[in-house]
Amino acid sequence: MHQVRVAGTGLTPFGRHPDTPSRALFGEAGGAAVDDAGLAPGDVDAVYLGNYMGAVAESQGHMAPLAAEAVGTTAPATRYEDACASAGVAARAAVQDVRCGAVDVALVGGVERMTHLDTPAATAGLAAAADDRHEVSAGLTFPGAYALMADAYFDRFDADRRDLAHVAVKNHRHGADNPYAQFQREITVEEALDAPMIADPLGLYDACPFSDGAAALVLASDAAVDERGLDAPVAITGSGQGGDTLALQDRASLTETPATAAAARDAFEEAGVGPDDVDVAEVHDCFTVAEALALEALGFYEPGEAAGAARRGETARGGRIPTNLSGGLKAKGHPVGATGAGQLVDLVKVLTGVRDAGAGAGGARVGLAHNAGGSVASAVVHVLEVVA
Amino acid sequence: MHQVRVAGTGLTPFGRHPDTPSRALFGEAGGAAVDDAGLAPGDVDAVYLGNYMGAVAESQGHMAPLAAEAVGTTAPATRYEDACASAGVAARAAVQDVRCGAVDVALVGGVERMTHLDTPAATAGLAAAADDRHEVSAGLTFPGAYALMADAYFDRFDADRRDLAHVAVKNHRHGADNPYAQFQREITVEEALDAPMIADPLGLYDACPFSDGAAALVLASDAAVDERGLDAPVAITGSGQGGDTLALQDRASLTETPATAAAARDAFEEAGVGPDDVDVAEVHDCFTVAEALALEALGFYEPGEAAGAARRGETARGGRIPTNLSGGLKAKGHPVGATGAGQLVDLVKVLTGVRDAGAGAGGARVGLAHNAGGSVASAVVHVLEVVA
């Protein structure tokens, strides 16, 4: 088995690119990742693309060869889709293939464009990640789904809207320091609490925005890194994936996300580390309550304890487990098919010292990425470590 | 490295199931494959789903966990999409993961439903597999794309519409013997030649139909087969994938498909066999000319020689290289996201003696599956061999 190294990363700014087709967005991020690795497009053995709604939003299916072409290669290219976890599953596939020696150099990433759609069309496109027959046809969209989960959480535990407002405030504060973030401005707890309600108990600032953007990484085997003299100090040492029923109604609990727990278990086992070893995390905060659910399922907090983490300052820069230093989906933005790859890029920034985690002298050495699809019917977890 | 065995297969009839959602179609095929393997849904470690247009045709993205659920598992589930090669790339991912030991038992397959759409909607949905900005927006759909390729072929080589009519006649003859085929009836060369023109020089019988259906296989490592005492005499010994530009206009030639050639090269190298060793093939005949292009790129024929193969009887049962004994996409049908898995299921039928290839005393021992996406911007080739 080879060790899987991150040899290069690339991002477009996340935000509004309504007139830029996905192929061009991926060309920018993918090209930047190849350049950052010190490689040429012809060095890429295979392309792994996350994209969720290109067929609906751009009348463009079969996007993987097009994305590869935009980077300058006709290498084998495949699209992976698990809703908002699309780039997570793409990255997982690349990790497996590099690890096993099936490919030496993988270009993995994702892209999405949706801000050219009007709000009803974008909401409908996103809702297709829920169960069309048993949820969407009954009127449920994702703000509603996560509102049900937040309600259940508030009902079961000692937590309230103010706790969640602190999650939004913390992620906006982080986003303010990220030049690639969609929202580079701080908000206050009162602003969050006073914002229009979108699905009770979730207000506007509890939700991530519609976003366009792309993210990409070059992954290479340790052998390829050595042979080609690449600069690749960070390794992906663990990868896990979990599944669950698509519809909330079929779950035993609305406050637990077993798909995340299963993914974390496998990723930690592969990496040989546990939650206590993790210095920094990027987790899937499509809604503020999702950050709390993730932190609990990942093992950082006991059930009911994570909603208050931001309020207590534990998940901010310099805290016990700095979470979403990029700004998270909340402030960095959520170009659906790109998000899982963007999380990995942002963790590499922290682990290589480009972004400060406030971890003190030794810096952050172990990072965790958590990418979820739908109401966590799919979840992917990766563990990254500084190894060189 | 483990050997990858086929432990079970399942199919729905291919054809018209306009009122059956994809989840139910996959539940039927996937459940049959698990049953055929003598396993339970809980034995499945991961689900690999090919689907092309669920988000457009059924307002249902994130279909992989739903398909898994229909079989009775919440194992990690991922959707793979490369247009008409979606199940091919799904199968390739499963092969890689089983081979490397990442999973012991994989459920792989694909599903599509499209006959509930009217013809313009289905045609538009399929056209999204071409380049929306440089082909579709100029009026090109797939019948037109393959008509351009047929025209170029006729221009360059000594071949004509009658040659292609023989491909249709041959595949209809094969389909007549397949109880799962959409068209179980023979046609004549004159019927094919006299049929309405759909895109000159291609007539109605040069094209595959719109189809619904699902196909699935259980793949298991040789270790898992031995441990659990499974009956799995066929192995997938080679897997390859190739890519190309999405738009025809960017290709050097309209009569060559380098993505197929690249996929075949890698698959043959892995299996340690060559074209002369192959006893039976299922190739991607979305249009009759595509069968000829595939047979040439796969190395079975020199350029310009394959169009006449059906006319000369070489690709029929008992011929030199029996091709599309299932009826092919032409007569068996083409539920897009299921097709690549269906080809593998049909090859297993031949290699296990369920379907006669007319290969004589020893029977067929080596089979090849070729699944293509779009106008062959993606191609996947698998080699199957009887090993036990």
Side-chain angles (χ1 to χ4, degrees):
Chain A
M1 291 292 187
H2 296 281
Q3 192 178 55
V4 182
R5 299 284 193 83
V6 181
T9 64
L11 287 175
T12 66
F14 283 11
R16 293 182 56 83
H17 306 284
D19 301 321
T20 310
S22 283
R23 66 182 76 185
L25 292 170
F26 190 80
E28 181 181 337
V34 171
D35 283 349
D36 185 43
L39 295 171
D43 294 317
V44 172
D45 296 321
V47 177
Y48 303 74
L49 182 77
N51 173 259
Y52 168 60
M53 58 191 285
V56 170
E58 301 184 85
S59 300
Q60 187 64 67
H62 206 188
M63 202 186 277
L66 208 52
E69 201 181 331
V71 175
T73 175
T74 54
T78 303
R79 174 184 165 224
Y80 301 78
E81 188 265 313
D82 258 336
C84 312
S86 294
V89 289
R92 181 167 155 75
V95 166
Q96 307 265 43
D97 284 355
V98 170
R99 187 181 276 171
C100 294
V103 306
D104 296 322
V105 177
L107 177 62
V108 59
V111 65
E112 204 77 57
R113 180 166 70 115
M114 64 175 87
T115 70
H116 62 298
L117 303 176
D118 60 23
T119 299
T123 301
L126 293 169
D131 187 324
D132 183 63
R133 294 174 85 86
H134 299 138
E135 293 187 320
V136 186
S137 59
L140 195 69
T141 58
F142 279 103
Y146 278 90
L148 290 171
M149 296 163 92
D151 255 340
Y153 194 98
F154 292 169
D155 190 52
R156 182 172 168 195
F157 303 117
D158 179 26
D160 59 22
R161 291 191 68 227
R162 185 168 290 268
D163 290 317
L164 298 186
H166 277 275
V167 176
V169 168
K170 181 263 295 178
N171 288 346
H172 269 269
R173 190 183 314 132
H174 289 164
D177 296 331
N178 179 2
Y180 290 86
Q182 185 162 357
F183 300 131
Q184 299 175 34
R185 65 181 182 82
E186 301 200 34
I187 61 167
T188 66
V189 169
E190 298 313 318
E191 280 175 315
L193 288 172
D194 293 345
M197 196 66 83
I198 55 165
D200 192 351
L202 301 178
L204 185 64
Y205 285 107
D206 288 299
C208 68
F210 296 141
S211 315
D212 312 312
L217 304 94
V218 173
L219 303 184
S221 65
D222 48 354
V225 165
D226 291 346
E227 273 169 31
R228 306 179 198 209
L230 307 180
D231 179 30
V234 175
I236 300 183
T237 55
S239 174
Q241 183 177 352
D244 203 348
T245 65
L246 204 63
L248 284 179
Q249 66 190 22
D250 298 317
R251 310 257 179 98
S253 165
L254 291 184
T255 62
E256 286 163 59
T257 50
T260 295
R265 183 195 62 219
D266 289 354
F268 281 137
E269 186 181 325
E270 281 189 2
V273 302
D276 292 346
D277 301 306
V278 175
D279 298 312
V280 57
E282 291 282 326
V283 309
H284 199 93
D285 62 322
C286 47
F287 296 90
T288 48
V289 67
E291 179 167 309
L293 296 174
L295 290 170
E296 294 173 11
L298 292 166
F300 296 122
Y301 285 92
E302 291 299 312
E305 296 296 317
R311 195 173 182 169
R312 298 189 297 270
E314 296 166 1
T315 47
R317 177 172 287 115
R320 176 187 144 198
I321 174 75
T323 299
N324 289 328
L325 287 170
S326 67
L329 284 62
K330 176 71 207 80
K332 181 174 63 172
H334 181 29
V336 174
T339 285
Q343 294 174 320
L344 297 173
V345 172
D346 277 297
L347 282 177
V348 171
K349 287 185 182 181
V350 175
L351 296 176
T352 55
V354 173
R355 179 175 297 145
D356 181 25
R365 307 283 298 178
V366 180
L368 178 144
H370 163 258
N371 188 201
S375 46
V376 203
S378 300
V380 183
V381 171
H382 284 103
V383 175
L384 286 75
E385 298 183 64
V386 180
V387 294
Chain B
M1 291 292 187
H2 296 282
Q3 191 178 55
V4 182
R5 298 284 193 84
V6 181
T9 64
L11 288 175
T12 67
F14 282 12
R16 293 182 57 82
H17 307 284
D19 300 321
T20 310
S22 283
R23 65 182 76 185
L25 292 170
F26 190 79
E28 181 181 337
V34 171
D35 283 348
D36 185 43
L39 295 170
D43 295 317
V44 172
D45 296 320
V47 178
Y48 303 75
L49 182 77
N51 173 258
Y52 167 60
M53 57 192 285
V56 170
E58 301 183 84
S59 299
Q60 186 64 68
H62 207 186
M63 201 185 277
L66 208 51
E69 201 180 333
V71 175
T73 175
T74 53
T78 303
R79 173 183 166 227
Y80 300 78
E81 188 264 313
D82 259 336
C84 311
S86 294
V89 290
R92 182 168 154 74
V95 166
Q96 307 265 42
D97 284 356
V98 171
R99 188 182 276 172
C100 293
V103 306
D104 295 322
V105 176
L107 176 63
V108 58
V111 65
E112 204 77 56
R113 181 166 68 116
M114 65 174 87
T115 71
H116 61 298
L117 303 176
D118 60 21
T119 298
T123 301
L126 293 169
D131 187 325
D132 183 62
R133 294 173 84 86
H134 299 138
E135 294 187 320
V136 186
S137 59
L140 195 69
T141 58
F142 278 104
Y146 278 91
L148 289 171
M149 296 163 92
D151 255 339
Y153 193 99
F154 292 168
D155 189 52
R156 181 172 168 195
F157 302 118
D158 179 25
D160 59 24
R161 291 191 68 225
R162 185 168 290 269
D163 290 317
L164 298 186
H166 277 275
V167 175
V169 168
K170 181 261 296 178
N171 287 347
H172 269 268
R173 191 183 313 136
H174 289 162
D177 296 330
N178 179 1
Y180 290 86
Q182 185 162 355
F183 300 133
Q184 300 174 34
R185 64 179 182 84
E186 301 201 33
I187 60 167
T188 66
V189 169
E190 297 313 318
E191 280 175 314
L193 289 172
D194 292 345
M197 196 66 83
I198 55 164
D200 191 351
L202 300 179
L204 185 63
Y205 285 108
D206 288 299
C208 68
F210 296 141
S211 314
D212 310 314
L217 303 94
V218 173
L219 303 184
S221 66
D222 47 354
V225 165
D226 291 346
E227 273 169 32
R228 305 178 198 209
L230 306 180
D231 179 30
V234 175
I236 300 182
T237 55
S239 175
Q241 183 179 351
D244 203 348
T245 64
L246 204 62
L248 284 179
Q249 67 190 20
D250 297 318
R251 310 256 179 99
S253 164
L254 291 185
T255 63
E256 285 162 60
T257 50
T260 295
R265 183 194 61 217
D266 289 356
F268 281 137
E269 186 180 324
E270 280 189 3
V273 302
D276 291 347
D277 300 307
V278 176
D279 298 313
V280 56
E282 291 280 327
V283 309
H284 199 91
D285 61 323
C286 47
F287 296 89
T288 47
V289 66
E291 179 168 308
L293 296 174
L295 289 171
E296 293 173 11
L298 292 165
F300 296 123
Y301 286 92
E302 292 298 314
E305 297 296 318
R311 194 172 182 169
R312 298 188 298 269
E314 295 165 2
T315 48
R317 178 171 286 116
R320 177 186 143 198
I321 174 75
T323 300
N324 289 329
L325 287 169
S326 67
L329 284 62
K330 177 70 207 79
K332 180 175 63 172
H334 181 30
V336 174
T339 285
Q343 294 176 320
L344 297 173
V345 172
D346 277 298
L347 282 177
V348 171
K349 287 186 182 181
V350 175
L351 296 176
T352 55
V354 173
R355 179 175 296 145
D356 182 24
R365 308 281 301 177
V366 181
L368 179 144
H370 164 259
N371 188 201
S375 47
V376 203
S378 299
V380 182
V381 170
H382 283 104
V383 174
L384 286 75
E385 298 183 65
V386 180
V387 294

